[in-house]
């Protein structure tokens, strides 16, 4: 039996001068300073019961587990205008403050089943859980919400050794996520100089599957390593991101509408080491495509982002007391929105 308990508090303060958006935040009156005060409190306890050793039946190894987890989150924030004299406003509108409590109680039981024969290894995970969620919005009591879910989220891992140097790994798993406190506040929060976030305080659900295949080559004698892999993620969402612009002001929110999104990634890791001056060279190329739907100015658009990167590093030890290293990365993002292609954004660092 193992148990851990933790508590964390994260106070956050932001001040912007001169005051922004008086029409939205200060009844159309100019002001000197915009202040945001916030705090996020998190309490969690995870309790797990396992056997000291797995059960064995021939080539099959069974490792059952059970446990109870409790996660409690609280978000409080206030956004208000002032003239910089240290005085606080007499009253802050509910649309500019938050007092949200999110509770998650989870009881689970499951087992990992491992099977190996020759060059083949297989692991099947069968976790079954009961989840109870409760949302309390002290500023909008009428919108408090409860949600319960029973989830079976199996996973499969397969490894096959073609030789002592070459292996193939395949993984697949399903998941189910419920929105956290960072995505459920009803009052505005300033997340950047010109970005206001505002989400409806309802539980949003995301279900998905992520699968990957990797080819791995290791030659310790020549100190050469190669890994090439592909990953595909497909998920079903209950909300769509909405982005709206009003001059320089950008507001983000969620709109309830079932939709799907996907992400495909191909990547590689290549490294080679040399005895001479302990020289080491590493290269990491990658390519990914993310596809989703998004509202912009109240119009539903198809969103696609293509990302290419090439990352590399070189290190060496020319002298016993001197080491040299360099790491660089080049990348390019290509955005397609509503079948319109935008100029690629390139970066190097």
């Amino acid at each position: 039996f193992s148990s851990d308990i933790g508590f964390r508090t994260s106070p956050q303060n932001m001040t912007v001068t001169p005051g922004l958006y008086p029409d939205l935040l200060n009844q159309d009156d100019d002001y000197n300073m915009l202040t945001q005060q916030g705090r996020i409190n998190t309490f969690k306890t995870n309790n797990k019961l396992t056997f000291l050793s797995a059960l064995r039946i021939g080539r099959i190894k069974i490792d059952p587990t059970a446990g109870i987890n409790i996660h409690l989150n609280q978000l409080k924030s206030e956004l208000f205008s002032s003239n910089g004299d240290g005085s606080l406003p007499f009253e802050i509108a509910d649309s500019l403050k938050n007092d949200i409590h999110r509770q998650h109680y989870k009881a689970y039981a499951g087992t990992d089943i491992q099977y190996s024969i020759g060059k083949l290894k297989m692991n099947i995970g069968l976790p079954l859980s009961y989840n109870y969620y409760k949302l309390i919005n002290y500023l909008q009591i009428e919108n408090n919400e409860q949600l319960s879910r029973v989830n079976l989220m199996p996973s499969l891992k397969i490894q096959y050794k073609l030789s002592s140097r070459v292996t193939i790994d395949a993984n697949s798993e399903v998941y189910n996520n419920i929105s956290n406190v960072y995505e459920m506040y009803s009052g505005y929060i300033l997340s950047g100089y010109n970005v206001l976030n505002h989400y409806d305080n309802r539980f949003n659900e995301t279900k998905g599957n992520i699968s990957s295949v990797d080819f791995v080559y290791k030659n310790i004698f020549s100190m050469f390593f190669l890994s090439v892999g592909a990953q595909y993620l497909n998920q079903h969402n209950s909300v769509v991101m909405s982005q709206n612009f009003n001059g320089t002001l950008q507001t983000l929110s969620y709109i309830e509408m079932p939709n799907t999104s996907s992400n495909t990634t191909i990547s590689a890791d290549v490294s080679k080491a040399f005895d001479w001056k302990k020289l080491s060279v590493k290269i990491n190329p990658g390519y990914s495509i993310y596809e989703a739907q998004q509202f912009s100015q109240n119009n539903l658009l198809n969103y696609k982002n293509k990302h290419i990167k090439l990352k590399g590093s070189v290190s060496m030890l020319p002298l016993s007391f001197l080491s040299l290293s360099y790491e660089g990365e080049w990348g390019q993002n290509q955005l397609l929105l509503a079948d319109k292609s935008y100029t690629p954004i390139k970066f190097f660092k």
Side-chain angles (χ1 to χ4, degrees):
F1 176 79
S2 63
S3 178
D4 66 81
I5 299 175
F7 175 79
R8 182 179 62 186
T9 182
S10 303
Q12 300 175 3
N13 295 287
M14 180 187 297
T15 300
V16 180
T17 56
L20 299 174
Y21 318 118
D23 55 333
L24 178 64
L25 303 177
N26 200 46
Q27 299 180 345
D28 218 13
D29 293 329
D30 292 333
Y31 63 100
N32 295 329
M33 181 183 298
L34 177 63
T35 300
Q36 180 170 270
Q37 297 178 348
R39 181 180 294 272
I40 298 175
N41 296 326
T42 301
F43 170 83
K44 69 175 183 178
T45 174
N46 298 321
N47 307 277
K48 185 177 181 180
L49 179 65
T50 61
F51 287 96
L52 293 177
S53 59
L55 306 176
R56 287 185 175 273
I57 305 175
R59 297 181 180 274
I60 299 175
K61 184 166 65 173
I62 302 174
D63 190 10
T65 59
I68 296 176
N69 298 341
I70 300 174
H71 289 188
L72 308 177
N73 302 102
Q74 178 191 25
L75 183 152
K76 298 189 72 172
S77 70
E78 292 180 336
L79 184 64
F80 55 87
S81 59
S82 69
N83 291 317
D85 55 5
S87 61
L88 296 177
F90 179 74
E91 184 177 358
I92 301 174
D94 287 350
S95 62
L96 301 179
K97 58 183 179 180
N98 292 284
D99 191 355
I100 305 291
H101 292 238
R102 179 188 184 272
Q103 304 171 7
H104 178 201
Y105 304 91
K106 176 180 178 180
Y108 66 92
T111 184
D112 282 339
I113 302 173
Q114 301 177 36
Y115 175 79
S116 61
I117 180 172
K119 300 179 179 180
L120 177 67
K121 291 183 179 180
M122 183 182 300
N123 183 291
I124 300 175
L126 297 172
L128 178 67
S129 65
Y130 171 77
N131 299 269
Y132 174 77
Y133 302 88
K134 186 175 183 179
L135 176 70
I136 303 174
N137 186 338
Y138 285 103
L139 302 180
Q140 298 179 5
I141 298 294
E142 68 279 3
N143 290 333
N144 291 349
E145 189 177 5
Q146 302 178 48
L147 180 70
S148 61
R149 286 288 185 271
V150 176
N151 297 323
L152 176 63
M153 295 184 287
S155 63
L156 174 64
K157 298 179 181 179
I158 299 175
Q159 183 184 81
Y160 186 77
K161 279 196 170 186
L162 293 175
S163 68
S164 60
R165 297 178 180 178
V166 181
T167 60
I168 297 177
D169 296 313
N171 303 279
S172 183
E173 63 178 276
V174 299
Y175 60 88
N176 183 288
N177 295 328
I178 301 296
S179 53
N180 56 44
V181 72
Y182 304 100
E183 304 171 307
M184 304 184 68
Y185 47 85
S186 55
Y188 284 104
I189 287 183
L190 190 68
S191 62
Y193 181 79
N194 65 335
V195 181
L196 279 174
N197 293 344
H198 160 77
Y199 302 119
D200 188 17
N201 60 311
R202 292 180 59 85
F203 286 115
N204 304 318
E205 191 168 9
T206 299
K207 301 178 180 179
N209 167 263
I210 181 168
S211 301
S212 64
V213 177
D214 295 283
F215 172 89
V216 181
Y217 173 83
K218 297 180 181 179
N219 188 332
I220 60 175
F221 299 105
S222 63
M223 293 182 289
F224 177 76
F225 303 90
L226 169 66
S227 174
V228 180
Q231 183 185 87
Y232 178 72
L233 181 149
N234 180 62
Q235 65 182 23
H236 300 266
N237 315 294
S238 61
V239 295
V240 178
M241 175 69 74
S242 177
Q243 182 183 51
N244 287 284
F245 295 91
N246 183 9
T248 60
L249 174 65
Q250 176 186 356
T251 57
L252 300 176
S253 60
Y254 282 145
I255 295 178
E256 292 190 32
M257 188 186 81
N259 66 97
T260 60
S261 58
S262 65
N263 189 71
T264 304
T265 303
I266 300 174
S267 61
D269 287 291
V270 184
S271 65
K272 170 66 177 175
F274 302 87
D275 292 326
W276 182 77
K277 303 298 182 182
K278 295 186 178 180
L279 176 65
S280 175
V281 180
K282 298 180 180 179
I283 300 175
N284 173 222
Y287 176 74
S288 65
I289 300 177
Y290 175 74
E291 297 182 87
Q293 291 180 309
Q294 176 180 307
F295 276 96
S296 181
Q297 300 298 99
N298 299 318
N299 294 315
L300 182 63
L301 305 175
N302 292 320
Y303 173 93
K304 179 184 289 187
N305 185 53
K306 298 180 179 180
H307 177 70
I308 303 174
K309 74 167 185 177
L310 178 61
K311 186 176 181 180
S313 66
V314 179
S315 64
M316 65 183 303
L317 192 69
L319 300 172
S320 60
F321 58 88
L322 177 65
S323 63
L324 301 175
S325 65
Y326 174 79
E327 182 175 305
E329 182 177 358
W330 175 88
Q332 173 180 295
N333 284 312
Q334 173 73 60
L335 174 64
L336 290 88
L337 194 60
D339 299 325
K340 179 181 178 181
S341 178
Y342 292 84
T343 303
I345 300 175
K346 300 180 180 180
F347 66 88
F348 179 80
K349 57 181 181 179

